[in-house]
Amino acid sequence: MADELLTAEHLVKRFDDNTVLDDVSLSVKKGEVIVVVGPSGCGKSTLLRCLNALEPIQGGKITLDGEAVVYGSKNLAAIRQKIGMVFQSYDLFPHLSVLDNILLAPVKAQKRKKDEAAAEAMKLLERVGLADKAKSFPRQLSGGQKQRVAIVRALCMHPVMMLFDEVTAALDPEMVREVLDVMLNLAKQGMTMIIVTHEMQFAKAIADRVVFLENGEIIEDTDPNTFFEHPQTERAKQFLNIFSFERSKKDEKN
Ligand code: ADP
Ligand code: MG
């Protein structure tokens, strides 16, 4: 279909004889926000890494914007530039300023003019509330600030879509909100995104669709209201129960 930006059909991913993704099919329309949830070890990170061809697959097919995404193929660098990815760890270069971290790929890989890219980077930094940190070094930033820089660094490559893998999981609680807000704003601006998160309230607020993955299989793929209020499978119900239990424990403590 014309409005589908990314499709994965019948993906199979194995590490030796461990089948981590077992016939996973997923499609993402332009402007759509998909949240992937599931227990630890179910294959969420592996799925994102396969979509971006950071991992070879053993079966199935991935298409981005009409082009096949094939691990090891010649046009892979170009395709990867179209998909921005942000992980739990920010991987900023410690010896480069915030601005130089952001400019590295646009200038080196995309051969863009430094002035033009810098002007854009400053605008993006402003959008995430960090214009005053352009000349700072990563060690001078909080975890939440570093993660916002990592998002800006990805956006500065002009990706057609973004993948987020538990980007707030390593942050202190008071910094989670500022990063989630950046993602909410991106969603409002129409960015196509696949987000792996354990922040269920956020998932409910941002998702157009929720995909529940377990043991490498998609068990539910539905709208957030159905998933959170009327999960169709016992396994999703159990998963959500654990989260509401954890939350009530937290609420008790506070
Ligand atoms: P999740 O992100 O949902 O917690 P992962 O995608 O990280 O899960 O892992 C899914 C499964 O794949 C796990 O059993 C994990 O041990 C295995 N796995 C992930 N990466 C590798 C790897 N590089 N080599 C071998 N096994 C891996
Ligand atoms: Mg993971």
Side-chain angles (χ1 to χ4, degrees):
M1 267 177 51
D3 58 351
E4 268 160 10
L5 187 58
L6 179 85
T7 58
E9 297 164 80
H10 307 293
L11 290 195
V12 175
K13 170 68 193 173
R14 288 187 209 96
F15 291 107
D16 300 320
D17 54 4
N18 180 15
T19 303
V20 174
L21 297 176
D22 190 5
D23 195 16
V24 166
S25 295
L26 181 71
S27 67
V28 189
K29 293 195 179 81
K30 206 166 187 301
E32 204 172 21
V33 177
I34 305 228
V35 171
V36 179
V37 298
S40 176
C42 70
K44 303 179 296 296
S45 296
T46 304
L47 173 61
L48 293 196
R49 292 174 54 80
C50 288
L51 294 178
N52 206 6
L54 292 171
E55 291 281 353
I57 50 177
Q58 280 69 48
K61 191 176 147 194
I62 300 165
T63 313
L64 175 71
D65 225 356
E67 263 185 291
V69 178
V70 181
Y71 181 85
S73 75
K74 261 195 208 149
N75 61 346
L76 195 58
I79 287 179
R80 270 204 203 127
Q81 286 180 21
K82 290 188 173 185
I83 308 182
M85 188 155 183
V86 185
F87 309 85
Q88 190 173 316
S89 63
Y90 350 91
D91 295 324
L92 299 174
F93 289 107
H95 61 290
L96 294 180
S97 70
V98 162
L99 186 62
D100 287 336
N101 263 288
I102 297 168
L103 292 181
L104 200 60
V107 172
K108 287 257 167 9
Q110 292 183 325
K111 312 276 180 230
R112 302 231 307 268
K113 286 206 184 87
K114 195 165 180 182
D115 304 357
E116 170 264 328
E120 185 186 357
M122 286 309 299
K123 267 197 205 139
L124 288 167
L125 280 172
E126 208 166 298
R127 240 165 62 186
V128 303
L130 291 177
D132 58 333
K133 301 290 183 196
K135 293 200 171 103
S136 301
F137 286 85
R139 65 172 181 279
Q140 299 168 309
L141 305 183
S142 72
Q145 290 171 334
K146 278 189 263 198
Q147 201 54 296
R148 284 182 279 157
V149 171
I151 295 172
V152 165
R153 179 180 53 179
L155 290 174
C156 211
M157 299 285 284
H158 302 160
V160 297
M161 71 178 297
M162 293 280 289
L163 308 178
F164 293 93
D165 192 0
E166 298 200 35
V167 293
T168 60
L171 297 180
D172 289 333
E174 68 270 25
M175 286 160 197
V176 169
R177 189 75 248 163
E178 65 197 34
V179 175
L180 298 182
D181 282 344
V182 169
M183 288 194 268
L184 281 164
N185 273 329
L186 280 177
K188 268 191 216 144
Q189 286 155 17
M191 177 59 82
T192 310
M193 305 195 265
I194 303 180
I195 302 172
V196 172
T197 184
H198 288 297
E199 298 286 339
M200 292 300 149
Q201 293 301 321
F202 166 71
K204 211 173 184 173
I206 200 168
D208 294 310
R209 256 167 62 212
V210 178
V211 168
F212 177 59
L213 196 66
E214 202 192 56
N215 287 331
E217 284 180 69
I218 292 181
I219 311 281
E220 303 210 14
D221 181 346
T222 182
D223 65 283
N225 189 51
T226 304
F227 182 75
F228 288 106
E229 306 304 332
H230 314 282
Q232 303 296 296
T233 60
E234 272 312 308
R235 288 189 271 181
K237 277 180 205 163
Q238 280 169 9
F239 175 77
L240 288 169
N241 275 340
I242 292 170
F243 274 95
S244 48
F245 178 65
E246 302 263 306
R247 211 179 49 244
S248 59
K249 268 202 307 195
K250 242 192 238 166
D251 291 346
E252 262 171 42
K253 267 194 217 154
N254 293 339

